Amino acid sequence: MGTRRHDVPSVGGASAGMTRIVVHIAGERLADRDVLSKSDPFAVLYIRAARQSRYTELGRTETLKDTVNPRVGLCP
């Protein structure tokens, strides 16, 4: 289970600085959608600037094979 690191520009145009965020995601008893094995889940992190309707993908986790109880760290 790896993490990915990115510098994320601030949202909303208030500043041109960078912000570091760390997200830990866990799931329990997810629906098993695979036919021949357990599901292969992953998570995607999106961000939306204030007063905008569009979301932008910041990062995604690796795909975890054959689990319905994933635990991942995402550090965009």
Side-chain angles (χ1 to χ4, degrees):
M1 177 169 31
T3 59
R4 297 184 348 200
R5 298 182 183 276
H6 303 279
D7 287 325
V8 179
S10 61
V11 178
S15 137
M18 299 298 225
T19 302
R20 171 91 46 203
I21 61 172
V22 177
V23 178
H24 297 277
I25 302 168
E28 293 182 5
R29 298 184 305 269
L30 298 179
D32 188 1
R33 300 293 185 190
D34 280 1
V35 175
L36 300 176
S37 65
K38 293 199 182 323
S39 291
D40 302 328
F42 63 94
V44 181
L45 178 65
Y46 293 93
I47 193 166
R48 182 175 59 96
R51 296 181 297 278
Q52 291 187 0
S53 60
R54 190 172 147 259
Y55 285 84
T56 302
E57 182 179 321
L58 283 182
R60 60 180 58 214
T61 66
E62 69 276 10
T63 299
L64 300 176
K65 298 291 184 188
D66 300 327
T67 184
V68 293
N69 298 301
R71 295 192 181 290
V72 295
L74 177 67
C75 186

